[in-house]
């Protein structure tokens, strides 16, 4: 069964450093997402991406964050200058286009645990 | 998206049915009810969704009341691997739209 994959599984970085989290969505999906979950808190939406541009972003997704689909398979989240409060689990998800069925399930990857020291 | 209310935690005996309730009294006519679960810090997993009719798949059944103000997710024969946080999410389904997760219900299946 196809699945979303994410690398690395765990990333440790120093405050102020740039990090890039990588995701490979399911191959025929057109919509891509990033969510994060700070330890012990809710899963929070960051951004959605379609047709090579951001379609929606939350208030969390400020100028320190960017997303890119550099090739036909990868989808990346970059944090330009990490802060301590960026420590969290970051989940990538993808979905196919729903046409009139109401079905728009998002498939999530296993996550990247980001630790900022 | 309409707000949902779920109990913070529930227990269930292994092999028995787990019935997880969700209130969504402000749901509007074009909003669907979705259920996801998250097993111990793994990525959330889609379970089932519905608009107004009851739905069943290989994982669970979804019962939606006639007025659509509440629903129940039923795991017919819970196993230890069903221990997870279960999220009820009400949303207009459009391609690319966000999922808004609440606190969910921590279901613990006991041996």
């Amino acid at each position: 069964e196809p699945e979303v994959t994410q690398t690395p599984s765990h990333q440790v970085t120093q405050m102020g450093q740039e990090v890039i989290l990588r995701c490979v969505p399911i191959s025929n999906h057109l919509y891509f997402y990033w969510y994060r979950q700070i330890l012990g808190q809710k899963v929070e939406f960051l951004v959605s991406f379609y047709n090579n541009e951001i379609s929606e972003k939350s208030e969390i997704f400020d100028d320190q964050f960017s997303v890119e689909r550099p090739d036909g398979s990868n989808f990346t989240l970059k944090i330009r200058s990490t802060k301590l409060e960026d420590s969290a689990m970051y989940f990538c998800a993808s979905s196919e286009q729903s046409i009139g069925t109401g079905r728009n399930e998002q498939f999530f990857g296993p996550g990247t645990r980001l630790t900022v020291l | 998206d309409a707000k949902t209310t779920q109990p913070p935690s529930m227990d269930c005996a292994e092999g028995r049915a787990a019935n997880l309730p969700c209130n969504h009294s402000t749901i509007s006519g074009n909003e669907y009810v979705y259920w996801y679960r998250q097993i111990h810090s793994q990525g959330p997993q889609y379970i089932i969704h519905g608009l107004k009719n009851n739905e069943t798949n290989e994982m669970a059944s979804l019962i939606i009341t006639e007025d659509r103000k509440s629903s129940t997710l039923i795991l017919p024969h819970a196993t230890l691997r069903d221990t997870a946080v279960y999220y009820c999410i009400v949303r207009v389904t459009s391609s690319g739209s966000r999922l808004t997760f609440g606190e969910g219900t921590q279901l613990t299946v006991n041996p």
Side-chain angles (χ1 to χ4, degrees):
Chain A
E1 187 173 322
E3 58 183 19
V4 176
T5 59
Q6 291 186 242
T7 54
S9 57
H10 192 186
Q11 173 93 46
V12 180
T13 190
Q14 295 291 326
M15 189 170 57
Q17 295 295 303
E18 174 183 287
V19 294
I20 297 176
L21 310 182
R22 292 183 166 79
C23 168
V24 179
I26 294 173
S27 62
N28 64 333
H29 285 185
L30 301 177
Y31 295 85
F32 315 113
Y33 315 80
W34 284 100
Y35 293 80
R36 78 172 186 190
Q37 185 174 32
I38 295 170
L39 187 63
Q41 297 187 22
K42 297 186 286 188
V43 177
E44 301 173 290
F45 169 79
L46 293 177
V47 66
S48 59
F49 190 85
Y50 170 72
N51 200 25
N52 281 319
E53 58 184 37
I54 290 172
S55 50
E56 187 183 3
K57 62 183 180 179
S58 72
E59 58 281 359
I60 302 169
F61 194 88
D62 61 21
D63 292 344
Q64 292 297 316
F65 292 90
S66 62
V67 289
E68 192 179 29
R69 189 155 163 81
D71 54 43
S73 59
N74 289 284
F75 180 51
T76 63
L77 174 70
K78 183 193 293 186
I79 308 175
R80 233 175 300 281
S81 177
T82 51
K83 304 190 267 287
L84 295 177
E85 54 264 38
D86 293 328
S87 293
M89 195 75 151
Y90 288 80
F91 295 108
C92 173
S94 68
S95 66
E96 59 186 357
Q97 187 160 15
S98 68
I99 304 174
T101 64
R103 181 162 188 153
N104 186 25
E105 66 194 84
Q106 295 180 17
F107 291 82
F108 284 76
T112 292
R113 180 169 300 285
L114 176 66
T115 303
V116 183
L117 302 176
Chain B
D1 294 341
K3 182 176 167 52
T4 62
T5 304
Q6 299 178 253
S9 64
M10 293 183 67
D11 283 279
C12 176
E14 190 177 17
R16 304 299 284 260
N19 298 287
L20 293 95
C22 179
N23 286 321
H24 32 80
S25 57
T26 60
I27 192 171
S28 56
N30 61 345
E31 288 181 311
Y32 288 74
V33 180
Y34 277 76
W35 284 83
Y36 280 74
R37 73 180 182 183
Q38 186 177 26
I39 298 173
H40 188 56
S41 296
Q42 295 179 23
Q45 178 190 23
Y46 166 85
I47 301 172
I48 199 167
H49 79 285
L51 182 62
K52 52 186 177 182
N53 297 322
N54 298 337
E55 303 287 344
T56 296
N57 63 20
E58 64 280 0
M59 288 183 71
S61 295
L62 174 60
I63 308 298
I64 303 174
T65 58
E66 196 168 331
D67 63 7
R68 302 210 321 124
K69 293 186 177 181
S70 65
S71 60
T72 302
L73 178 76
I74 301 171
L75 307 178
H77 304 287
T79 70
L80 298 179
R81 287 176 296 180
D82 292 321
T83 293
V85 180
Y86 287 78
Y87 300 99
C88 169
I89 299 171
V90 173
R91 61 197 279 258
V92 175
T93 292
S94 59
S95 298
S97 60
R98 70 170 74 183
L99 290 169
T100 301
F101 290 86
E103 305 291 345
T105 296
Q106 171 66 61
L107 175 69
T108 302
V109 181
N110 300 304

